[in-house]
């Protein structure tokens, strides 16, 4: 029997809270959590959003906010060292070197001011003392290993120049580049399409076997748990409610919550719509190419063809799903339609050609065309309260009294399932699912006709994902909303969208009515996506 690499005993964590006019108190978020992890083993930590999974994982390396976190009880032993009480010098030697970590939100974790190559090289220099030229070679090889296309180009890119999935892969490379003894993977495949997800999981398993590495794998996707985990630990409301071997736990779950998780899948059909509804958005021959410059004069030497010849009509009250691998041009298409990126071609919204409008001309359309981004933590200003975040659009687009704005904020929060009394709290005080509801409320308060939904459920566990999908359907039916839904999860698309467009490398390879496309896909890549989706 291999020895324990990590042992957590009776871990209880709280956060300091101070309500207005009330003395500071500790709000406990995890309660007597205990589990161990053996060398070469994969333990999946699963549970609903806000159950304490990420708090427990971040506590291992003491990454929780110093001013707010309070370790009430317990110990965390890594190779016999209690990371909660060890010196700062010992902890620096463990972080990033002996224990690697893949964070859930790469745009927050990667330094936006440095190219990804520099960040990988820096990791090698700090923990292994590798010289720059050798470190650059190693960094390039790791970008290739994690499946980034054109790694020689992407190594010189800044994080914001990469797609969500590409950023996630950079985080994976950064966590594994020092060949750690323990890998903590906090939702490492969240932003990846199913085909690349399968490749990354196979890569992680291969590297684990090669290095004899233990892995703590946090996820909300139970299909991944089946594929990768040796054992499963289930958390609910800060408590560990069940632990067991993977096959045994799936075959015969003992706790009611475990049973609920296993059976929580995207369900239902898209809302009923009128087939003859008027066209709200018409896109013709949309093209987004980015120039590549080189030489002393910075002449154009080529193009990144992000989107080529995109065409579709979107009727009022309908939903179109845009699916494809990471970097295929899905998000670029959405941003171009909102005129947040320059593009060529025609974009007509309610018979108005948007391409001919300048910034001022677009202002009357901004409140009608809203967006919910993939990563709510990045999209919400951490320095603004929820009331300020949700009400910001009203202050820009409408002239209302503070009392009326507050009334509308409370009404829209209640509509999306948030407690209005929490409106003076800040985004970091909410779970991932709650933050996504805040983002939906921010878009909804302006009473838009069209909403771009860019992977709005990808970072949510299955139970919360189902709740958010039900919320989106309810809002669509109630307000006649029109959605362009970007996703890599075909099961979610099938549940919400009437029509589906499949993209790959910037081009449309297949499109059609969702049910027909799923039943009889024509293109080989679409068949692969549908097969992997059925497997999951």
């Amino acid at each position: 029997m291999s020895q324990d690499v990590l042992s957590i005993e009776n871990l209880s964590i709280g956060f300091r809270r101070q309500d207005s006019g009330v003395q500071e108190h500790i709000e406990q978020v995890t309660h007597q959590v205990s589990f161990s992890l053996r060398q070469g083993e994969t333990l999946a930590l699963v549970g609903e959003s806000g159950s304490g999974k990420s708090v427990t994982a971040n506590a291992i390396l003491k990454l929780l906010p110093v001013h707010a976190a309070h370790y009430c009880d317990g110990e965390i032993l890594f190779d016999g060292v209690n990371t909660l009480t060890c010196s700062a010098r010992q902890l620096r030697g463990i972080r990033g070197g002996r224990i690697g970590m893949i964070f859930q939100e790469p745009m927050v974790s990667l330094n936006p001011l440095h190219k990804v190559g520099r960040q990988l090289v820096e990791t090698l220099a700090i923990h292994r003392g590798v010289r720059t030229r050798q470190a650059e070679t190693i960094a390039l090889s790791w970008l290739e290993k994690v499946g980034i296309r054109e790694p020689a180009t992407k190594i010189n890119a800044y994080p914001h120049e990469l797609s969500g999935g590409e950023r996630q892969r950079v985080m994976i490379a950064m966590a594994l580049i020092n060949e750690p003894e323990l890998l903590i993977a906090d939702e490492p495949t969240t932003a990846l399409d199913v085909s690349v997800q399968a490749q990354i999981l196979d890569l992680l398993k291969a590297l684990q076997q090669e290095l004899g590495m233990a892995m703590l794998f946090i996820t909300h996707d139970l299909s991944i748990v089946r594929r990768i985990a040796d054992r499963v630990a289930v958390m609910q409301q800060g408590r560990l409610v069940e632990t067991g071997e993977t096959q045994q736990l799936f075959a015969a779950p003992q706790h009611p919550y475990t049973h609920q998780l296993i059976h929580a899948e995207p369900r239902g059909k898209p809302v009923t719509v009128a087939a003859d509804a008027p066209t709200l958005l018409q896109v013709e021959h949309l093209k987004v190419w980015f120039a590549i410059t080189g030489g002393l004069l910075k002449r154009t030497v080529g193009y990144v063809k992000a989107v080529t010849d995109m065409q579709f009509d979107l009727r009022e009250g309908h939903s179109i799903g845009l699916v494809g691998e990471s970097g295929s041009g899905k998000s670029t298409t959405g941003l171009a339609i909102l005129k947040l990126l320059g593009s060529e071609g025609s974009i007509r919204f309610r018979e108005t050609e948007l391409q001919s409008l300048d910034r001022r001309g677009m202002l009357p359309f901004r409140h009608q065309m809203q967006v919910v981004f993939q990563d709510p933590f990045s999209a919400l200003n951490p320095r603004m309260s929820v009331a300020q975040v949700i009400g910001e659009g009203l202050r820009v687009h409408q002239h209302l009294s503070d009392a009326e704005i507050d009334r509308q904020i409370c009404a829209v929060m209640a509509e999306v399932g948030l407690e209005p009394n929490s409106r003076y709290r800040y985004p970091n005080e909410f779970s991932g699912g709650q933050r996504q509801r805040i983002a939906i409320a921010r878009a909804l308060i302006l009473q838009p006709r069209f909403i771009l939904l860019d992977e709005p459920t990808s970072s949510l566990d299955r139970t919360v994902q189902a709740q958010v999908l039900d919320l989106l359907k309810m809002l669509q039916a109630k307000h006649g909303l029109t959605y362009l839904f970007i996703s890599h999860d075909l099961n979610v698309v099938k549940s919400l969208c009437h029509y589906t467009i499949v993209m790959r490398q910037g081009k449309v390879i297949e499109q059609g009515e969702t049910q027909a496309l799923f039943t009889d896909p024509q293109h080989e890549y679409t068949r692969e996506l549908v097969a992997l989706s059925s497997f999951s």
Side-chain angles (χ1 to χ4, degrees), residues 191-474:
L192 306 181
D193 64 275
V194 288
S195 57
V196 178
Q197 182 184 89
Q199 296 168 19
I200 293 296
L201 293 176
D202 290 342
L203 171 66
L204 288 175
K205 289 300 288 183
L207 290 168
Q208 183 182 29
Q209 292 172 4
E210 178 184 333
L211 304 174
M213 176 179 68
M215 183 157 53
L216 179 62
F217 200 100
I218 300 168
T219 184
H220 63 267
D221 191 334
L222 296 184
S223 64
I224 293 177
V225 174
R226 289 178 185 268
R227 183 183 183 120
I228 201 169
D230 301 302
R231 288 190 301 126
V232 184
V234 182
M235 292 191 71
Q236 183 187 29
Q237 297 179 354
R239 290 181 169 82
L240 202 62
V241 297
E242 186 169 356
T243 306
E245 301 293 329
T246 302
Q247 290 186 353
Q248 181 181 354
L249 185 137
F250 274 88
Q254 300 301 304
H255 195 276
Y257 177 67
T258 309
H259 188 273
Q260 177 188 347
L261 274 184
I262 291 172
H263 293 89
E265 293 292 331
R267 59 187 183 273
K269 296 180 179 180
V271 299
T272 302
V273 292
D276 59 348
T279 299
L280 180 72
L281 179 68
Q282 187 176 45
V283 176
E284 294 181 346
H285 306 298
L286 185 69
K287 171 183 167 182
V288 184
W289 287 13
F290 299 104
I292 302 172
T293 58
L296 292 175
L297 300 178
K298 300 294 182 182
R299 290 175 175 158
T300 300
V301 296
Y303 293 92
V304 175
K305 299 178 181 180
V307 178
T308 301
D309 202 27
M310 167 65 71
Q311 299 190 68
F312 63 84
D313 290 349
L314 180 53
R315 294 181 179 276
E316 287 193 16
H318 289 229
S319 300
I320 287 183
L322 203 54
V323 303
E325 63 191 1
S326 176
S328 63
K330 305 186 302 294
S331 295
T332 301
T333 299
L335 293 175
I337 288 169
L338 294 177
K339 290 206 66 179
L340 298 176
L341 277 179
S343 64
E344 297 179 19
S346 173
I347 305 169
R348 298 182 67 83
F349 182 80
R350 286 189 160 183
E351 301 304 321
T352 299
E353 177 56 64
L354 301 185
Q355 292 285 39
S356 61
L357 302 178
D358 58 13
R359 181 177 177 275
R360 177 169 298 199
M362 276 296 297
L363 286 178
F365 295 92
R366 288 295 180 203
H367 75 279
Q368 299 181 58
M369 305 175 72
Q370 288 293 298
V371 58
V372 177
F373 291 103
Q374 175 178 345
D375 181 358
F377 196 79
S378 297
L380 303 178
N381 190 328
R383 296 186 178 183
M384 296 171 67
S385 69
V386 167
Q388 291 172 319
V389 167
I390 295 175
E392 185 179 22
L394 284 180
R395 292 183 173 89
V396 171
H397 292 283
Q398 299 182 26
H399 301 289
L400 302 172
S401 66
D402 289 343
E404 177 59 20
I405 289 174
D406 189 62
R407 186 194 69 78
Q408 291 196 32
I409 290 169
C410 291
V412 78
M413 287 184 71
E415 189 169 21
V416 300
L418 292 169
E419 175 53 56
N421 290 337
S422 67
R423 65 189 183 279
Y424 299 117
R425 292 164 60 187
Y426 288 83
N428 68 298
E429 299 179 74
F430 293 83
S431 70
Q434 290 170 325
R435 286 198 293 264
Q436 201 60 286
R437 289 173 184 267
I438 293 168
I440 293 170
R442 177 176 61 180
L444 192 65
I445 200 168
L446 291 171
Q447 300 179 349
R449 302 309 308 154
F450 167 81
I451 300 181
L452 170 66
L453 299 162
D454 191 352
E455 300 272 12
T457 62
S458 65
S459 62
L460 307 179
D461 66 89
R462 286 296 192 189
T463 52
V464 178
Q465 182 184 82
Q467 295 166 16
V468 171
L469 283 174
D470 288 344
L471 171 65
L472 290 172
K473 289 182 187 180
M474 181 274 288

Side-chain angles (χ1 to χ4, degrees), residues 143-207:
L143 291 182
E144 291 175 351
K145 278 186 178 182
V146 297
I148 287 185
R149 293 198 304 269
E150 302 177 0
T153 300
K154 298 295 173 63
I155 198 170
N156 293 314
Y158 290 94
H160 73 271
E161 297 177 303
L162 304 178
S163 70
E166 288 170 330
R167 289 194 291 264
Q168 199 84 329
R169 280 176 259 183
V170 170
M171 281 298 305
I172 292 169
M174 191 174 294
L176 295 178
I177 201 167
N178 285 308
E179 302 180 359
E181 300 162 47
L182 168 64
L183 175 65
I184 302 171
D186 190 354
E187 302 277 8
T189 59
T190 290
L192 306 181
D193 64 275
V194 288
S195 57
V196 178
Q197 182 184 89
Q199 296 168 19
I200 293 296
L201 293 176
D202 290 342
L203 171 66
L204 288 175
K205 289 300 288 183
L207 290 168

